């Protein structure tokens, strides 16, 4: 489900930084022009041209600044970024998804941007989506500038629904509605399944919220094995093992869910709006809807943002670039035109064309879903929690332990 992120969606390993972070990755080309190094994952491989267009626009507005872009695939990104930082070669500006942002901020690797924001007469935080902007705050201070955000919706194959004579999903659907439809849509003989979402922690925390559960209490203590969470994990696993409306990892044969959807083998898939571009050329009709819930609605919120190395030698130039990538109308329009996630801006004029694009026809569901956003718990060990959880969840899928046992084990490992 998670792209990334992150995103999703669609998950990266949050790297704990070493103490020494350097600014050796930047230099000046001449006395009149400053070069800043920008390290990014989200543009590759599908949006490299759009990123180049954004950078060119920035450089035209800021002729004294040149941006040296380095793109790294997400799966390799954070390991390489950590290596650069440990070797005193930190890029001036680098991309961070929300999930990993906390680890970098906590380790003191990021430049606090409040001073630059306060002095910037051309920027007001009200230009940006409030939740997205504040996602890059840590301990009450701004350590990054959001560049884009996205969420997850239910994609569905209208042709398969039509063939089965089933009404399309509505935004009022519950878990039981989805499972009932998925049973009618599943055709195991032809390798067609009714629905899919991964049985991973990055999906589980959202599904738990759909059941009224949460992984931490108000005091920040882990509550992984709360009974509502147990019910949520049982629901996820039962879709695969009991109701058999979702393919098992073995049945997926190494393919990802997005490929199966494009092949016509999934009637519904829970994934991010970043897939609009990839799905637009599908040879069947499809649309989207707000995800089903149980006791309440909940859906993922993913954000990508830009941070500045605390050790940069070009802080002012680096800040200007982060602000431009976050709040520039040019950047926002490029994102909207290409369907590259949602720009963080609140300008209705810029966002209006997004709603007019098809497919999907029901783009309104993207904004409807924003009413139900859920974030992963803020925790520097989130990556470790995710990795351990995914291993436990696989045991449940294989029938080696119960959902309750898996969550009890995780609570013992991470709880007090």
């Amino acid at each position: 489900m998670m792209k990334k992120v992150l995103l999703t969606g669609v998950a990266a390993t949050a790297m704990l930084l070493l103490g020494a972070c350097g600014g050796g990755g930047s230099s000046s080309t001449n006395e009149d022009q400053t070069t800043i190094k920008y390290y990014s994952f989200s543009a590759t491989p599908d949006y490299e041209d759009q990123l180049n267009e954004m950078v060119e626009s920035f450089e035209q507005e800021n002729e004294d600044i040149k941006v040296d872009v380095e793109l790294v695939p997400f799966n390799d990104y954070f390991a390489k970024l950590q290596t650069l930082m440990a070797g005193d070669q930190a890029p001036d500006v680098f991309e961070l998804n929300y999930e990993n942002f906390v680890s970098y901020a906590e380790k003191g690797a990021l430049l606090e941007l409040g001073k630059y924001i306060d002095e910037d007469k051309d920027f007001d935080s009200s230009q940006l989506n409030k939740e997205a902007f504040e996602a890059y705050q840590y301990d009450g201070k701004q350590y990054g500038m959001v560049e884009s955000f996205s969420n997850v919706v239910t994609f569905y194959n209208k042709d398969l629904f039509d063939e089965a004579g089933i009404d399309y999903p509505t935004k009022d659907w519950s878990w039981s509605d989805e499972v009932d439809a998925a049973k009618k849509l599943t055709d195991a003989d032809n390798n067609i399944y009714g629905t899919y979402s991964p049985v991973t922690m990055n999906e589980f925390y959202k599904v738990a919220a759909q059941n009224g559960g949460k992984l931490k209490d108000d005091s920040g203590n882990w509550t992984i094995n709360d009974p509502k969470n147990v019910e949520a994990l049982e629901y996820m696993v039962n879709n695969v093992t009991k109701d058999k409306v979702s393919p098992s990892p073995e049945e997926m044969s190494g393919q990802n869910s997005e490929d199966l959807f494009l092949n016509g083998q999934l009637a519904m898939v829970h994934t991010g709006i970043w897939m609009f571009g990839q799905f637009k050329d599908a040879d069947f009709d499809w649309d989207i809807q707000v995800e089903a819930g149980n006791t309440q609605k909940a859906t993922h919120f993913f954000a990508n943002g830009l941070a500045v190395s605390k050790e940069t030698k070009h802080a002012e130039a680096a800040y200007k670039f982060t602000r431009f990538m976050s709040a520039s109308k040019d950047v926002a329009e490029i994102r909207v035109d290409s369907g590259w996630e949602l720009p963080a801006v609140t300008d209705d004029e810029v966002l209006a064309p997004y709603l007019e694009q098809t497919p999907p026809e029901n783009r309104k569901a993207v904004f409807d879903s924003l009413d139900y956003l859920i974030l992963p718990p803020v925790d520097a060990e989130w990556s470790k929690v995710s990795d351990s959880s995914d291993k436990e969840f696989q045991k449940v899928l294989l029938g080696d332990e119960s959902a309750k046992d898996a969550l009890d084990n995780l609570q013992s490992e991470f709880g007090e």
Side-chain angles (χ1 to χ4, degrees), residues 118-165:
D118 291 343
E119 295 173 354
D120 190 343
K121 304 303 182 185
D122 296 322
F123 175 73
D124 187 306
S125 63
S126 65
Q127 296 172 242
L128 301 175
N129 175 278
K130 185 175 184 292
E131 290 78 9
F133 177 70
E134 292 179 353
Y136 285 85
Q137 292 178 1
Y138 177 76
D139 198 23
K141 297 179 180 179
Q142 197 76 33
Y143 286 98
M145 294 288 280
V146 63
E147 60 175 340
S148 67
F149 66 100
S150 54
N151 55 13
V152 167
V153 293
T154 301
F155 289 74
Y156 62 95
N157 183 323
K158 296 173 75 173
D159 290 4
L160 289 178
F161 272 77
D162 291 342
E163 290 169 11

Side-chain angles (χ1 to χ4, degrees), residues 7-172:
L7 339 203
T8 202
V10 224
T13 300
M15 294 295 181
L16 298 181
L17 303 180
L18 300 179
C21 296
S26 60
S27 61
S28 296
T29 58
N30 54 56
E31 293 182 1
D32 299 321
Q33 189 176 59
T34 297
T35 296
I36 58 173
K37 186 171 183 179
Y38 171 48
Y39 207 60
S40 172
F41 61 79
S42 68
T44 187
D46 297 321
Y47 298 100
E48 294 182 9
D49 290 343
Q50 286 79 8
L51 177 59
N52 288 336
E53 189 177 350
M54 294 172 182
V55 170
E56 288 172 5
S57 178
F58 172 77
E59 291 177 340
Q60 288 172 4
E61 288 190 17
N62 300 269
E63 295 182 354
D64 58 334
I65 303 173
K66 176 176 171 48
V67 182
D68 180 10
V69 178
E70 183 169 351
L71 299 177
V72 179
F74 185 79
N75 288 341
D76 301 323
Y77 180 85
F78 287 96
K80 291 188 176 182
L81 180 59
Q82 183 192 28
T83 299
L84 287 173
M85 289 184 158
D88 290 343
Q89 294 293 319
D92 299 284
V93 180
F94 47 94
E95 199 169 28
L96 289 177
N97 57 358
Y98 172 80
E99 291 88 335
N100 288 328
F101 163 71
V102 173
S103 294
Y104 286 78
E106 183 182 60
K107 295 299 177 182
L110 309 182
L111 181 69
E112 203 274 302
L113 301 179
K115 175 176 80 77
Y116 302 94
I117 292 173
D118 291 343
E119 295 173 354
D120 190 343
K121 304 303 182 185
D122 296 322
F123 175 73
D124 187 306
S125 63
S126 65
Q127 296 172 242
L128 301 175
N129 175 278
K130 185 175 184 292
E131 290 78 9
F133 177 70
E134 292 179 353
Y136 285 85
Q137 292 178 1
Y138 177 76
D139 198 23
K141 297 179 180 179
Q142 197 76 33
Y143 286 98
M145 294 288 280
V146 63
E147 60 175 340
S148 67
F149 66 100
S150 54
N151 55 13
V152 167
V153 293
T154 301
F155 289 74
Y156 62 95
N157 183 323
K158 296 173 75 173
D159 290 4
L160 289 178
F161 272 77
D162 291 342
E163 290 169 11
I166 300 173
D167 290 338
Y168 300 145
T170 72
K171 68 177 184 179
D172 298 320

Side-chain angles (χ1 to χ4, degrees), residues 225-269:
N225 62 345
D226 182 276
K228 293 179 180 178
N229 298 342
V230 174
E231 290 176 358
L233 182 56
E234 288 173 343
Y235 165 74
M236 297 173 70
V237 172
N238 285 345
N239 281 343
V240 179
T241 61
K242 180 182 176 183
D243 295 320
K244 299 186 183 300
V245 296
S246 291
S248 67
E250 293 75 22
E251 289 164 335
M252 294 180 74
S253 302
Q255 298 182 84
N256 62 43
S257 58
E258 289 81 6
D259 287 339
L260 291 179
F261 184 74
L262 275 175
N263 292 341
Q265 294 176 263
L266 286 178
M268 291 176 281
V269 62

